[in-house]
């Protein structure tokens, strides 16, 4: 339509109708309309149709003219708005329209056939999507703008721009330098802050202690040097830095101060101090009470004991040293820190349970009515399947809660059984009872990785090093030279150093496993795959390791390769529930939902302890009652995944069976035992 | 509280999403950090009925039926079948949008995160 205007303008005051008529007859698309109406419509409609189109165009044109040449309305000829003729025509149209059904339909269709029309929303979305994917956001935006052609860029401008771009790149490197600088500042600041925190923590511990003995009315106790010392600590008049006690403010009690300096000059104390640094306060305290107890004829009450010791401080030098030791040992920063850390961890665990979201990893929840509890020959029993062996191990640790190795076995079996919280609880027990079972630390690291508890992963890996005679030295070296701001870097470096001790064919698979776990935490799956593969080269029959490899591959989005690794694991141990569950997940990722359902059902059947429907011979109980016990061993996460699969298969009937935990109703349709 | 509504296949997926999110505190924190948005889904089933589910991945980390207490950052209109296809990975968010299978109101950037949000398939375990 726009091309009409120049012509119209040159035509000047002539009635634009005539110009339009000319244009109109040249418009082939409109002629198409005309022909079709002529063919289908009545003869009398022809005139009406054409006029109508003219009116529409004319109106459009006027509107456009109005918008394009504002203020020129006055130049229009007077007869422009003479619409008499038009209204007459309109009258005619009104009569004709109903009879022109065909034309009307065709006309209505017309706007839909606009060629090359793209919804603006699509373009916008496309652009956003591309931008989100494109890391060089700025570059693409720049390109788009150039393509849009809104800006004309002259060659000199381009060179100037490129120059500016180069400069910007240089400044970018400067920026990163600045960032690094900032990071180190931040670290420094953080360390200082941590030191300050340690002081306040110490003070709060001391103040708690002061508060707890506030009720003590004995004036001697209150004036005792220990009490004074604690009070000072709590008021932060004193603080402990490294091995020295530092005064923060002028000391009011001169007596105490002189006593204190005497103590510091005591060489005995210094050596004793270093000896006892690693001992915990409580043990030290107990020893001390015993010691003073012997001097005072075995009195046991703490308060009186303390009082007695206090009495003797000024008298006998031997008792005095004992009491002094006690004071100092208590004030050891390390032991206090340790106590605070333990308290903090307990607190965190408590919070997790009270909110009801996370599991309480501290208490192992035993199966009810475990028939193996009454078995006389328990120690020799192995169990025919995973469910049974778990019950046997549970019975073992219930009868002997200090059997650390049984706890460890129970933990790893619960990992196999896809019961992470129980596995963690059991492994924690094993590790506390006997920290020398190194594998329990590694297994814990695995469980914590699965549960997204990064900090705990680092903690247990540290413990693994701490109790590992081969690598303990490395940990100490690493502690001395590296700071702990980035725990991931700290431990990957540490593991790599450990791996370098035994290069080539002598590599330690455990080190590779630890490194693999760390790379899983940081989602560097390809590195993790390398680690697990090299560990497998030495332990080709470790089904747990095959599963670790598979899971890593799955998380690296390679479900086909992952499935192969799982099949290897299942070939070695067909009742490996976790590998089956993982295999099902891989099938879901490959969109093979039916296979996935079958493997999930197989996993559940294994957890329930079903073996070909034959009664368990190692037990003289009926199968049904045995299943009542083990059915509770089925993981809810497997049921949830199964339910989701049924949803993908569009089977709401099976979904409700999942809610009911009804494994039997799946037997008719699926083969899984 | 269940987020199940009869007559919707998406219903069980929302149920699973709810489990996935609220099951593990550490994972929840990570997801909220990554997504940081409230999604409102307006799902139309085969009978032409509409049902709203809200996923709060900004503060609470919750899944609920109906509108949430806070204003959503993005409202997504789609059919029950499309939702299942998205969640099962048969369809990705961008394709669905291009095919006109979902309509979006609000911050369109967030639609690019949709695939991650609806990834109901659990992670393989070591």
């Amino acid at each position: 339509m726009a091309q009409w205007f120049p012509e119209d303008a040159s035509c000047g005051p002539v009635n634009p109708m005539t110009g339009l008529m000319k244009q109109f007859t040249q418009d082939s698309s409109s002629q198409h309309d005309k022909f079709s109406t002529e063919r289908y419509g009545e003869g009398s409609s022809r005139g009406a149709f054409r006029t109508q189109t003219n009116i529409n165009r004319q109106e459009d044109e006027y509107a456009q003219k109005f918008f394009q040449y504002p203020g020129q309305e006055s130049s229009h000829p007077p007869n422009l708005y003479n619409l008499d003729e038009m209204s007459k025509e309109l009258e005619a149209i009104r009569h004709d329209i109903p009879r022109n059904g065909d034309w009307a339909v065709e006309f209505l269709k017309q706007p839909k056939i606009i060629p090359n029309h793209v919804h603006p929303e699509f373009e916008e979305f496309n652009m956003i999507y591309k931008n989100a994917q494109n890391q060089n956001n700025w570059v693409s935006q720049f390109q788009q703008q150039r393509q849009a052609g809104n800006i004309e860029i002259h060659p000199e401008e381009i060179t100037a721009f490129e120059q500016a771009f180069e400069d910007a790149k240089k400044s970018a490197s400067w920026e990163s330098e600045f960032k690094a600088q900032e990071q180190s500042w931040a670290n420094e600041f953080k360390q200082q802050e941590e030191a300050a925190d340690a002081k306040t923590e110490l003070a709060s511990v001391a103040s708690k202690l002061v508060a707890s003995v506030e009720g003590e009315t004995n004036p001697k106790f209150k004036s005792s040097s220990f009490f004074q010392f604690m009070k000072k600590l709590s008021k932060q008049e004193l603080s402990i830095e490294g091995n020295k006690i530092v005064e923060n403010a002028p000391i009011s009690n001169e007596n105490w101060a002189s006593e204190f300096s005497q103590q510091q000059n005591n060489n005995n104390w210094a050596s004793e101090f270093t000896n006892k640094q690693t001992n915990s306060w409580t043990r030290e305290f107990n020893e001390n009470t015993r010691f003073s107890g012997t001097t005072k004829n075995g009195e046991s009450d703490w308060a009186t004991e303390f009082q007695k010791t206090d009495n003797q401080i000024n008298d006998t030098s031997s008792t005095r040293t004992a009491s002094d030791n006690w004071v100092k040992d208590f004030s050891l920063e390390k032991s206090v820190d340790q106590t605070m850390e333990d308290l903090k961890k307990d607190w965190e665990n408590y919070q997790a349970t009270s909110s009801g979201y996370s599991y309480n990893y501290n208490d192992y929840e035993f199966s009810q009515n475990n028939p193996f509890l009454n078995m006389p020959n328990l120690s020799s029993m192995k169990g025919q399947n995973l469910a049974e062996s778990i019950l046997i191990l549970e019975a073992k640790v219930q009868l002997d809660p200090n059997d650390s190795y049984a706890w460890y076995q129970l933990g790893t079996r619960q990992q196999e059984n896809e019961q992470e919280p129980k596995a963690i609880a059991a492994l924690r027990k094993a590790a506390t009872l006997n920290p020398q079972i190194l594998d329990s630390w590694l297994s814990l690291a695995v469980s914590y990785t699965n549960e997204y508890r990064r900090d705990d992963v680092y903690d247990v890996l540290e413990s693994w090093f701490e109790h590992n005679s081969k690598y303990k030295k490395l940990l100490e070296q690493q502690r001395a030279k590296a700071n702990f701001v980035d725990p991931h870097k700290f431990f990957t470096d540490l593991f790599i150093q450990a791996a370098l001790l035994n290069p080539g064919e002598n590599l330690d698979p455990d080190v590779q496993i630890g490194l693999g776990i760390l790379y899983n935490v940081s989602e560097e799956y390809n590195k993790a795959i390398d680690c697990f593969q090299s560990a497998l080269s030495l332990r080709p029959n470790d089904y747990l390791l095959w599963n670790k490899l598979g899971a890593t591959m799955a998380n690296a989005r390679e479900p086909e390769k992952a499935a192969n690794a799982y099949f290897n694991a299942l070939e070695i141990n067909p009742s490996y529930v976790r590998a089956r569950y993982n295999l099902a997940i891989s099938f879901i990722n490959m969109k093979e939902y039916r296979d996935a359902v079958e493997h999930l059902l197989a996993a559940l059947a294994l957890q329930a302890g079903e073996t070909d429907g034959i009664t368990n011979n190692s037990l003289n109980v009926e199968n049904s009652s045995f299943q009542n016990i083990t059915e509770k061993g089925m993981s809810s996460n497997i049921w949830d995944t199964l339910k989701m699969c049924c949803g993908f298969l569009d089977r709401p009937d099976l979904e409700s069976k999942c809610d009911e935990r009804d494994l039997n109703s799946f037997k008719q349709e699926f083969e899984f035992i | 509280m269940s987020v199940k509504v009869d007559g919707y296949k998406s219903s069980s997926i929302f149920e699973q999403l709810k489990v996935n999110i609220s099951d593990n505190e550490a994972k929840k924190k990570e997801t909220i950090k990554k997504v940081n948005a409230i999604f409102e889904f307006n799902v139309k089933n085969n009978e032409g009925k509409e049902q709203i589910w809200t996923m709060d991945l900004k503060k609470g980390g919750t899944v609920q039926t109906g509108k949430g207490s806070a204003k959503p950052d993005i409202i997504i209109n789609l059919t029950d079948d499309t939702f299942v296809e998205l969640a099962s990975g048969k369809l990705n968010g961008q394709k669905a949008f291009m095919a006109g299978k979902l309509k979006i109101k609000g911050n369109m950037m967030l639609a690019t995160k949709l695939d991650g949000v609806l990834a109901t398939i659990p992670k393989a375990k070591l």
Side-chain angles (χ1 to χ4, degrees), chain A residues 226-440:
Chain A
F226 168 68
F227 192 68
Q228 297 292 345
F229 178 69
M230 277 341 268
K231 258 193 172 166
K232 285 215 168 76
L233 272 181
S234 71
K235 286 176 190 157
Q236 297 202 27
E237 286 169 13
L238 281 175
S239 67
I240 295 164
E241 279 183 15
N243 294 348
K244 279 182 190 148
I245 294 163
V246 179
E247 295 171 12
N248 290 344
I251 291 162
S252 49
N253 194 332
E254 286 303 319
N255 280 340
W256 180 85
S258 59
E259 208 178 317
F260 179 72
S261 53
Q262 261 184 347
Q263 284 168 4
Q264 271 195 323
N265 292 333
N266 193 335
N267 284 332
N268 276 344
W269 169 78
S271 58
E272 235 167 325
F273 180 81
T274 40
N275 284 342
K276 293 189 178 173
Q277 197 166 16
T278 45
N279 287 343
S280 77
W281 169 76
T282 14
R283 205 193 306 157
E284 201 53 40
F285 174 72
N286 285 339
E287 271 171 22
N288 196 42
T289 354
R290 220 181 302 133
F291 179 74
S292 4
T294 49
T295 51
K296 271 318 257 181
N297 301 329
E299 272 166 291
S300 57
D301 183 278
W302 181 82
T304 48
E305 195 56 57
F306 185 84
Q307 203 183 317
K308 296 272 153 88
T309 326
D310 192 38
N311 279 339
Q312 293 190 343
I313 279 181
N314 297 321
D315 305 329
T316 42
S317 62
S318 67
T319 13
R320 182 172 164 172
T321 355
S323 154
D324 287 346
N325 282 341
W326 182 66
V327 168
K328 264 152 259 154
D329 283 325
F330 178 75
S331 62
L332 286 181
E333 193 181 22
K334 202 178 171 184
S335 63
V336 173
D337 272 0
Q338 194 59 48
T339 328
M340 278 311 289
E341 230 162 67
D342 290 348
L343 275 172
K344 234 160 82 181
K345 269 191 188 159
D346 284 349
W347 169 248
E348 272 163 14
N349 285 335
Y350 173 73
Q351 272 192 321
T353 39
S354 67
S355 67
Y357 280 114
S358 287
Y359 304 96
N360 179 356
Y361 296 117
N362 285 331
D363 298 318
Y364 187 93
E365 203 186 313
F366 290 101
S367 309
Q368 299 289 310
N369 304 321
N370 185 345
F372 290 98
L373 274 173
N374 305 318
M375 291 283 152
N377 53 343
L378 191 64
S379 55
S380 61
M381 288 177 97
K382 282 263 185 276
Q384 285 186 326
N385 54 39
L386 188 60
E388 248 185 52
S389 63
I390 283 173
L391 283 177
I392 292 169
L393 284 166
E394 279 189 4
K396 274 187 190 169
V397 296
Q398 268 174 305
L399 295 172
D400 179 10
N402 290 322
D403 187 346
S404 57
Y405 196 69
W407 275 115
Y408 161 68
Q409 280 181 311
L410 182 58
T412 47
R413 301 246 97 184
Q414 287 290 19
Q415 278 188 335
E416 277 174 43
N417 198 29
E418 187 49 43
Q419 292 278 13
E420 211 75 78
K422 282 189 174 183
I424 292 177
L427 289 168
R428 271 191 181 183
K429 277 258 162 54
T432 348
L433 288 170
N434 183 3
Q436 295 305 322
I437 307 178
L438 291 172
D439 284 343
S440 64

Side-chain angles (χ1 to χ4, degrees), chain A residues 385 605-606 609-616 623 627 667 672-673:
Chain A
N385 54 39
L606 284 167
E610 286 187 29
T611 44
D612 301 321
I614 303 163
T615 334
N616 291 283
N623 203 19
Q627 270 178 32
K667 279 180 183 162
F672 54 91
I673 295 179

Side-chain angles (χ1 to χ4, degrees), chain A residues 129-263:
Chain A
Y129 196 85
K130 269 187 195 150
N131 283 350
Q133 287 185 328
N134 193 350
Q135 285 197 323
N136 296 324
N137 232 342
W138 179 80
V139 175
S140 71
Q141 236 168 9
F142 175 71
Q143 277 171 348
Q144 273 169 12
Q145 263 188 1
R146 250 163 61 152
Q147 277 165 7
N150 289 333
I151 320 153
E152 283 245 14
I153 302 171
H154 298 289
E156 62 266 33
E157 271 181 330
I158 291 172
T159 45
F161 195 84
E162 269 165 4
Q163 184 60 43
F165 187 72
E166 283 300 311
D167 288 349
K169 270 212 288 211
K170 273 179 210 155
S171 78
S173 74
W174 171 81
E175 201 172 52
S176 69
E177 254 174 36
F178 180 74
K179 253 191 193 159
Q181 187 69 38
E182 208 172 34
Q183 184 66 37
S184 74
W185 283 340
N187 291 348
E188 242 173 83
F189 180 71
K190 210 174 167 194
Q191 277 170 1
Q192 278 183 357
E193 219 175 28
E194 271 166 7
D197 275 353
K199 276 186 202 170
T200 43
E201 266 179 21
L202 182 69
S204 72
V205 170
S207 67
K208 269 184 210 154
L209 200 107
V210 171
S212 70
V213 290
E214 208 71 84
E216 186 66 54
T217 45
N218 194 316
K220 272 190 178 158
F221 178 71
K222 284 218 167 175
S223 60
S224 72
S225 68
F226 168 68
F227 192 68
Q228 297 292 345
F229 178 69
M230 277 341 268
K231 258 193 172 166
K232 285 215 168 76
L233 272 181
S234 71
K235 286 176 190 157
Q236 297 202 27
E237 286 169 13
L238 281 175
S239 67
I240 295 164
E241 279 183 15
N243 294 348
K244 279 182 190 148
I245 294 163
V246 179
E247 295 171 12
N248 290 344
I251 291 162
S252 49
N253 194 332
E254 286 303 319
N255 280 340
W256 180 85
S258 59
E259 208 178 317
F260 179 72
S261 53
Q262 261 184 347
Q263 284 168 4

Side-chain angles (χ1 to χ4, degrees), chain B residues 21-116:
Chain B
I21 293 167
S22 56
D23 191 37
N24 187 315
E25 193 70 12
K27 192 183 168 186
K28 185 161 102 181
K29 274 183 197 157
E30 210 171 274
T31 317
I32 288 175
K33 211 165 124 193
K34 267 188 203 158
V35 181
N36 192 29
I38 299 172
F39 288 75
E40 188 178 299
F41 293 94
N42 200 339
V43 184
K44 196 186 233 172
N45 71 1
N46 295 337
E47 294 157 31
K49 280 194 225 158
E50 289 192 14
Q51 170 70 40
I52 291 173
W53 278 274
T54 306
M55 277 182 88
D56 177 353
L57 293 173
K58 197 177 205 167
K59 280 183 186 148
T62 54
V63 179
Q64 64 179 94
T65 50
K67 285 178 185 286
S69 51
K71 188 177 171 286
D73 297 290
I74 181 169
I75 301 173
I76 298 165
N77 287 290
L78 74 180
T79 65
D80 199 23
D81 292 324
T82 306
F83 189 87
V84 173
E85 284 179 13
L86 279 175
S88 57
K90 277 183 188 163
L91 190 66
N92 75 30
Q94 198 201 6
K95 269 190 202 158
F97 186 86
M98 296 307 253
K101 285 185 172 178
L102 50 93
K103 304 232 167 1
I104 291 166
K105 263 183 250 170
N107 184 354
M108 243 188 269
M109 269 294 279
L110 293 170
T112 59
K113 290 184 181 173
L114 197 61
D115 299 333

Side-chain angles (χ1 to χ4, degrees), chain A residues 49-115:
Chain A
F49 164 71
R50 290 179 68 180
T51 329
Q52 192 224 16
T53 327
N54 280 342
I55 291 163
N56 282 345
R57 305 248 166 179
Q58 191 187 21
E59 277 168 357
D60 275 357
E61 193 214 3
Y62 282 165
Q64 298 235 11
K65 244 187 168 170
F66 176 81
F67 286 118
Q68 290 215 336
Y69 307 107
Q72 285 184 13
E73 302 97 311
S74 54
S75 68
H76 286 305
N79 63 344
L80 191 63
Y81 295 108
N82 187 355
L83 301 172
D84 280 358
E85 207 181 333
M86 225 162 76
S87 66
K88 264 185 221 159
E89 293 283 349
L90 272 169
E91 281 287 323
I93 293 163
R94 250 178 232 147
H95 290 295
D96 285 339
I97 277 179
R99 279 179 278 153
N100 273 331
D102 282 344
W103 169 81
V105 168
E106 215 173 316
F107 182 77
L108 281 173
K109 275 182 192 161
Q110 206 62 12
K112 283 187 187 167
I113 323 172
I114 301 163

Side-chain angles (χ1 to χ4, degrees), chain A residues 553-567:
Chain A
M553 285 169 161
N555 291 332
R557 291 170 202 274
E558 295 194 71
E560 289 88 359
K561 283 188 189 171
N564 279 331
Y566 298 140
F567 278 127

